Amino acid sequence: MSKLLISIAMEAEAAPLISALNLSPSTSLFPKALPFLSYEGENLTLITSGKDSVTGVDNVGTVPAALMVSHALSTGDYGTVVNCGTCGGFIKRGMSIGSVMIPSVGAFHDRRIVIPGTKFEEYGVGKREVTNAKADLVRSSLGYVGGCCTSGDSLDHVSTDDTQMDANEAVAKDMEFASIAQVCSLYDVDLVGVKVVTDLVDGDKPSFEEFMENLGTAAKALQETIPRVIEVLKK
Ligand code: ADE
């Protein structure tokens, strides 16, 4: 099995997994200028986005995600990226709190670049199919659904986002998957996303309230799910 790169944005999402997999901190992967953290285990590296030096909160969002995964792929010899984390889920596509999905498509919902007569609009949506044998195997072995994980840089959503999320037929909404899908496509590395629902995008509660309520439970779900995903990928 080639080496796995597991990327997780938030420390709270990663912490239970770091102890479950018995990983050790390492300082050799990222240069000092980058805030990202890495942990080594048997045939795998887990990376997290670290904290923003100005506000002290986790570096969430599409830019840190792309920068972190791109840097790791440019320096290490990884055959597969496993991008794990929480997401908003769509009730209308069968998701509920705690559901796990393995995306088969990544796309953006907040990059509106409409210039008639050009392909900038399509570029903005940035759809990438994530159909590789490893993601298919994880999905079928563990009985999870696929579909589109739509990404943007906001936790909430406005009506123009809703229109694009519907056009993307989004099952899940996060803040990194589509950018990581683009990076993996550039490096020609397989991507397996593992997304756990903390809040319902088309429900009636504000996303932040449900997200904070369910973050701990989702982190525990990841702690249980990721070792099973790794087992499948070892086959
Ligand atoms: N992560 C967890 N819930 C989310 C949401 N509703 N939007 C974006 N990222 C999320």
Side-chain angles (χ1 to χ4, degrees):
M1 179 184 130
S2 57
K3 203 167 173 191
L4 287 185
L5 181 68
I6 302 182
S7 81
I8 304 186
M10 296 180 76
E11 216 51 41
E13 293 168 334
L17 192 60
I18 291 167
S19 50
L21 295 175
N22 212 9
L23 306 181
S24 323
S26 149
T27 51
S28 58
L29 185 57
F30 295 114
K32 276 210 172 72
L34 299 181
F36 313 132
L37 302 172
S38 72
Y39 302 83
E40 291 293 327
E42 196 191 331
N43 222 17
L44 67 85
T45 304
L46 185 148
I47 54 179
T48 67
S49 306
K51 305 287 184 191
D52 171 50
S53 61
V54 176
T55 58
V57 302
D58 299 270
N59 287 307
V60 297
T62 59
V63 173
L67 189 56
M68 172 170 85
V69 173
S70 176
H71 183 84
L73 289 180
S74 71
T75 54
D77 183 21
Y78 299 102
T80 311
V81 173
V82 182
N83 170 229
C84 318
T86 59
C87 66
F90 288 79
I91 302 168
K92 63 182 159 195
R93 301 222 159 70
M95 296 286 102
S96 52
I97 303 290
S99 298
V100 178
M101 63 87 71
I102 311 290
S104 45
V105 176
F108 293 94
H109 55 257
D110 63 354
R111 303 202 316 179
R112 292 175 291 280
I113 318 174
V114 181
I115 305 177
T118 74
K119 289 207 164 196
F120 279 109
E121 185 172 9
E122 183 182 339
Y123 162 78
V125 176
K127 197 175 212 177
R128 295 289 182 277
E129 302 290 330
V130 186
T131 44
N132 61 72
K134 291 168 191 163
D136 291 349
L137 184 65
V138 168
R139 202 178 297 115
S140 60
S141 308
L142 301 179
Y144 297 136
V145 297
C148 178
C149 181
T150 186
S151 304
D153 279 303
S154 301
L155 182 63
D156 68 1
H157 51 109
V158 293
S159 67
T160 41
D161 296 334
D162 293 339
T163 305
Q164 188 58 53
M165 291 192 289
D166 265 343
N168 292 346
E169 297 183 3
V171 175
K173 167 179 179 280
D174 81 346
M175 298 175 70
E176 57 183 0
F177 186 75
S179 66
I180 294 177
Q182 293 206 338
V183 171
C184 288
S185 143
L186 291 172
Y187 284 88
D188 199 18
V189 168
D190 287 334
L191 171 61
V192 180
V194 183
K195 300 284 158 182
V196 183
V197 174
T198 46
D199 52 276
L200 298 165
V201 184
D202 49 356
D204 48 19
K205 275 195 181 175
S207 300
F208 73 89
E209 225 173 74
E210 259 183 339
F211 173 73
M212 292 312 289
E213 237 170 71
N214 297 313
L215 180 59
T217 318
K220 285 206 189 90
L222 283 174
Q223 177 190 350
E224 284 160 22
T225 308
I226 303 308
R228 296 173 67 210
V229 170
I230 295 171
E231 274 311 303
V232 173
L233 292 174
K234 272 189 194 163
K235 282 182 192 159

